[in-house]
Amino acid sequence: MSDVLTMRVVDGIGVVEIDSPPVNALGFNVRKGLWQGFETHIADPAVKAIVLICGGRTFFAGADITEFGKPVQEPDLRQVIDLVESSPKPTIAAIHGTALGGGYELSLGCNYRVAVPSAKVGLPEVNLGLLPGAGGTQRLPRIVGVEAALDIMLSGAPMAAGKAQKLGMVDAVVEEGRLEEGAIAFAKTVVAEGKPLVKVRDRAVEANPDAVAAMTKKYSRLFKGFKAAANIVKTVEAATSLPFDQGMARERELFLELRGSNESKAQRYAFFAERATTKVPDIGKDVAILPVKSVGVIGAGTMGGGITMNFVQAGLPVTLVEMNQEALDRGLGVIRKNYERSASKGSITAEQVETYMGLIKPALGLEALGEVDLVIEAVFEEMSVKKDIFGKLDTICKQGAILASNTSFLDVNEIASATSRPEWVVGLHFFSPANVMRLLEVVRGAKTSKEVIATSMELAKTIRKVPVLAGVCFGFIANRIMAKRTIQAEQMVVEGVPPARIDKVGTDYGFAVGSFGMMDIVGLDVLTRGQTERSLRGDFVAAGRLGQKSGGGFYNYDENRKASHSEEAAKLIADFAAYKGIAQNPDQSDEDILFRLLLPVANEGAKCLEEGIALRASDIDMACILGYNWPLYTGGPMFWADTIGLPRVLEKLKEFQAKFGDEFKPAALLEKLAAEGKSFTGE
Ligand code: 3HC
């Protein structure tokens, strides 16, 4: 018998139990077990109805994503669901944990679905660039109608059992912790009442073009770059216009199209990449995770405020320190305003606003941080200021407190040297806005202890961030490598390529905003702070063109912040090019503009790998996706370079190096991998 299958018969009800940790993904072994279990109970005359249940933490969490791209071993999931659906005996899925994707689709092959209150159901395939490919697109609309089905499949969001019951996606909710008993009792009632065996496939569903239009509008962002949403809509339209079996054939066709696409491959890669970031080779499960029950944040500016919000939302009290009352009041005011805005939009309640604000303890002076478990410094980027603060923290903070800096560029080892306990010092680099962006770079200093790193990784989870481990260097991972894009954008603009053209290449690739649009948002004065030499941005600042806030930077802006061409900006650029004696070369192809912007990013990523700054290529990709909104469906710079092919990447870099200089010098690792026919990501 299959090693993941257990079978029993209880009062005439056959139970098929599958237990395949960690999440009962529907891989070959599990499908084989299901086949065996159902065949056996269907054939057994003593069995009057069949309950399908899972051991472990969850019902089936979906198809086994690691099997995609490999030859399918039969029975495939659709065959298993056909077997379940064709059972002459009532079938009941008993759901706990998360019944997702193929898991929920399998339950739709049963006559009934029973769940505990904490269970969730959903079809999240869209997040992997896929559509529900085991009948979900054809069966779900037959239960909830076109509008709700599209909403569920396009959002990909799991739904709580209670709500699912209201929609008919779950037939009964049974007592928590007593799922098997509840499902067996339900099965007995079905048998006793002799209810007809209704199959979901036999239900009717009506077309609803208005709902299709409304949902297409609601999820419009998924119809650019991503491919899955459009195919999901097509399958649901097929459900209403074709007989069930033809609809299933259409679903298959559209599923296979997605499965083979680079977009879905990138999204599946990102799914595993996100989960890989916490795996640090020299830090095993034996390394202690230290308790962090209270936090101190130094600096109530934009970063400090955003950082504070993360912790209070996770229920941790934060002592927020500023040096004067005015700055403290201003910082608290901004946090309150942010929460009140969320409350007015309905994303949090008015009580939550007060709960969060109540967890913030404002304080003047570092002395208030004596007893906190973790301090995060988020003050001005100036080494002498940071060293002064860390020196004081060393005398104020209790032993065993983690001392973190939110520095974006500075040397964490030098900061740590201001203390007598460098093993307790770490970089925790948040990305702005810190309460929104999911990336947290955990910067490991030369002396940072393993416990501090392990605790930082765990802490990231607590505040719903994805931690990426980085070594000490200027800019760490994301800022260091993405700076290469900005350098090239500025270089091309002084060569005479208009900013709007460069930005369009970036937005066509999938960035929400182009390089110049972004600089105008951040503010050119902010970006030139501390600069002494003449620079293009400096010229803009001198001319009073600071960006959006002054009505103009690289673009002009109207009152709705809509950008348009600026003659004044064009003149500033031309003057700067003349001052620098830059040869004009405005006729560059879109492909060359894209490659000039982004290949240096991947090349710098390769240098980070060589130097051990990043642990793996997929960490670099996560840093760019989550810290810089690199378009997910291209997989990040390293995955994208792999899809182009490293020999071609190398060839282009060499071509650019010959034309434009050593900024394009290929990394040794890139040369090596290209020569060996390998890739960065192994994909
Ligand atoms: N296939 C293979 N491995 C999976 C998996 C899947 N569907 N789902 C989770 N895993 C693995 C994870 O990679 C992780 O492995 P690791 O421990 O080696 O890193 C392990 O299971 C635990 O996962 P999480 O760390 O994510 O655990 P959580 O408890 O935080 O979350 C979960 C559990 C909510 C189930 C989450 O893992 C999840 O969302 N999984 C994906 C669900 C999904 O997308 N299902 C649809 C799959 S596609 C499909 O079904 C196609 C069909 O329509 C034909």
Side-chain angles (χ1 to χ4, degrees):
M1 192 165 81
S2 161
D3 56 352
V4 297
L5 169 70
T6 318
M7 281 184 293
R8 51 193 166 269
V9 180
V10 183
D11 298 340
I13 308 298
V15 176
V16 173
E17 179 176 338
I18 300 288
D19 193 355
S20 176
V23 295
N24 289 309
L26 286 149
F28 171 61
N29 216 14
V30 167
R31 298 194 302 271
K32 217 170 54 175
L34 282 164
W35 191 270
Q36 204 177 3
F38 273 88
E39 263 197 332
T40 309
H41 281 323
I42 289 170
D44 183 351
V47 169
K48 304 293 174 224
I50 304 168
V51 165
L52 169 61
I53 196 165
C54 284
R57 66 202 234 209
T58 180
F59 195 73
F60 309 94
D64 186 339
I65 308 165
T66 59
E67 282 187 354
F68 292 154
K70 297 181 189 156
V72 180
Q73 283 181 284
E74 295 197 343
D76 68 20
L77 184 54
R78 291 176 143 221
Q79 290 167 328
V80 172
I81 296 175
D82 280 348
L83 173 71
V84 172
E85 195 173 49
S86 63
S87 162
K89 305 168 183 181
T91 49
I92 295 101
I95 299 172
H96 76 296
T98 42
L100 298 178
Y104 184 64
E105 292 176 285
L106 172 59
S107 82
L108 290 176
C110 295
N111 301 113
Y112 300 96
R113 284 148 296 282
V114 165
V116 288
S118 61
K120 289 186 174 152
V121 299
L123 296 174
E125 284 88 341
V126 71
N127 298 326
L128 300 169
L130 296 170
L131 55 79
T137 66
Q138 304 304 296
R139 291 190 178 90
L140 187 63
R142 288 175 155 81
I143 296 182
V144 300
V146 167
E147 182 165 4
L150 280 175
D151 210 1
I152 290 161
M153 288 190 262
L154 293 177
S155 72
M159 186 184 285
K163 185 164 179 211
Q165 188 184 16
K166 285 195 190 113
L167 285 175
M169 293 169 70
V170 161
D171 298 284
V173 175
V174 301
E175 195 185 328
E176 198 72 53
R178 298 180 60 84
L179 179 59
E180 182 165 336
E181 294 92 319
I184 289 175
F186 186 94
K188 282 188 192 165
T189 312
V190 169
V191 173
E193 292 177 357
K195 287 189 181 172
L197 286 188
V198 181
K199 296 176 185 168
V200 177
R201 60 176 282 151
D202 295 334
R203 297 197 201 178
V205 56
E206 275 179 20
N208 187 346
D210 289 346
V212 171
M215 287 299 129
T216 307
K217 190 163 170 230
K218 179 171 175 188
Y219 294 99
S220 57
R221 68 168 188 89
L222 294 181
F223 290 81
K224 190 187 164 222
F226 294 99
K227 286 208 165 128
N231 280 18
I232 287 175
V233 169
K234 286 183 201 162
T235 53
V236 172
E237 284 173 339
T240 63
S241 61
L242 298 174
F244 183 82
D245 288 327
Q246 283 179 36
M248 287 292 283
R250 182 82 177 121
E251 178 192 89
R252 184 75 188 149
E253 190 189 326
L254 292 165
F255 176 81
L256 291 179
E257 186 182 302
L258 292 176
R259 198 181 69 184
S261 69
N262 275 343
E263 289 79 0
S264 174
K265 282 182 196 153
Q267 286 177 264
R268 274 141 42 199
Y269 159 79
F271 175 86
F272 290 111
E274 185 175 330
R275 283 155 180 80
T277 65
T278 49
K279 294 171 183 138
V280 182
D282 67 328
I283 299 183
K285 293 219 180 317
D286 54 319
V287 175
I289 291 173
L290 311 164
V292 176
K293 301 249 178 310
S294 59
V295 180
V297 173
I298 309 171
T302 313
M303 277 319 276
I307 294 170
T308 300
M309 291 171 78
N310 287 303
F311 287 99
V312 295
Q313 282 159 225
L316 289 171
V318 176
T319 305
L320 181 59
V321 173
E322 259 298 347
M323 297 306 147
N324 66 67
Q325 192 64 45
E326 201 192 329
L328 194 54
D329 291 345
R330 198 179 323 119
L332 283 168
V334 171
I335 297 176
R336 175 171 281 283
K337 220 163 101 196
N338 282 339
Y339 281 139
E340 284 174 351
R341 198 177 310 126
S342 301
S344 70
K345 284 193 205 142
S347 45
I348 58 172
T349 64
E351 293 79 65
Q352 270 171 312
V353 176
E354 296 315 319
T355 308
Y356 296 156
M357 291 309 296
L359 282 169
I360 304 175
K361 194 173 141 205
L364 290 173
L366 300 175
E367 291 70 24
L369 299 174
E371 288 309 311
V372 296
D373 298 324
L374 161 72
V375 178
I376 303 175
E377 162 278 311
V379 304
F380 198 61
E381 283 285 85
E382 173 69 57
M383 182 56 89
S384 58
V385 180
K386 307 244 180 207
K387 281 173 91 168
D388 180 53
I389 290 179
F390 275 76
K392 288 182 179 143
L393 290 177
D394 195 26
T395 60
I396 294 167
C397 294
K398 68 179 181 188
Q399 287 302 315
I402 297 175
L403 309 181
S405 172
N406 176 52
T407 179
S408 319
F409 294 98
L410 299 176
D411 183 338
V412 172
N413 292 329
E414 194 176 338
I415 297 174
S417 73
T419 72
S420 64
R421 37 175 145 165
E423 62 281 14
W424 291 96
V425 178
V426 68
L428 290 181
H429 180 211
F430 292 78
F431 286 70
S432 187
N435 55 321
V436 177
M437 300 301 280
R438 289 178 62 222
L439 176 63
L440 178 66
E441 282 182 341
V442 174
V443 186
R444 184 175 194 170
K447 295 189 178 155
T448 314
S449 76
K450 290 183 180 180
E451 287 77 10
V452 168
I453 295 296
T455 306
S456 301
M457 296 311 233
E458 188 64 26
L459 200 65
K461 217 189 271 174
T462 310
I463 57 171
R464 304 165 83 120
K465 302 276 182 220
V466 176
V468 168
L469 192 71
V472 175
C473 66
F474 187 78
F476 314 123
I477 298 175
N479 283 348
R480 166 174 165 179
I481 74 171
M482 290 304 292
K484 299 292 169 192
R485 178 183 64 160
T486 315
I487 291 171
Q488 286 310 312
E490 284 201 9
Q491 186 57 34
M492 283 189 275
V493 98
V494 290
E495 286 167 18
V497 186
R501 173 116 192 274
I502 298 170
D503 278 358
K504 182 163 183 324
V505 169
T507 53
D508 283 352
Y509 179 79
F511 287 99
V513 192
S515 302
F516 297 102
M518 185 46 91
M519 285 188 241
D520 277 356
I521 291 173
V522 176
L524 299 174
D525 53 336
V526 175
L527 292 169
T528 48
R529 209 176 268 158
Q531 238 173 44
T532 47
E533 272 178 43
R534 180 171 171 189
S535 69
L536 178 62
R537 296 179 213 172
D539 283 6
F540 273 70
V541 175
R545 297 190 68 87
L546 308 184
Q548 284 200 4
K549 61 184 165 194
S550 72
F554 283 97
Y555 300 99
N556 285 339
Y557 293 92
D558 66 14
E559 60 285 0
N560 297 319
R561 306 212 153 175
K562 195 174 171 328
S564 60
H565 172 76
S566 159
E567 267 310 314
E568 192 188 348
K571 180 153 186 335
L572 284 168
I573 294 167
D575 287 351
F576 185 76
Y579 160 73
K580 281 273 183 187
I582 308 266
Q584 295 299 284
N585 177 22
D587 295 325
Q588 304 188 36
S589 71
D590 280 358
E591 186 185 73
D592 270 7
I593 293 176
L594 182 69
F595 281 171
R596 274 188 73 179
L597 287 172
L598 301 186
L599 290 185
V601 177
N603 194 41
E604 194 66 15
K607 290 182 190 162
C608 284
L609 288 172
E610 271 167 29
E611 295 164 22
I613 295 297
L615 282 177
R616 48 181 89 80
S618 64
D619 280 7
I620 298 174
D621 285 332
M622 286 327 288
C624 292
I625 290 169
L626 300 175
Y628 272 83
N629 289 326
W630 186 291
L632 172 62
Y633 50 79
T634 71
M638 310 313 276
F639 184 88
W640 175 67
D642 283 348
T643 58
I644 295 169
L646 296 192
R648 171 133 171 82
V649 170
L650 187 61
E651 179 192 274
K652 277 314 280 187
L653 284 170
K654 284 185 172 162
E655 178 193 319
F656 290 151
Q657 186 186 10
K659 274 195 210 159
F660 307 114
D662 277 351
E663 263 298 308
F664 293 95
K665 187 177 184 321
L669 178 67
L670 169 60
E671 301 245 24
K672 179 170 172 286
L673 292 174
E676 290 170 354
K678 292 189 180 151
S679 65
F680 287 131
T681 64
E683 294 283 323

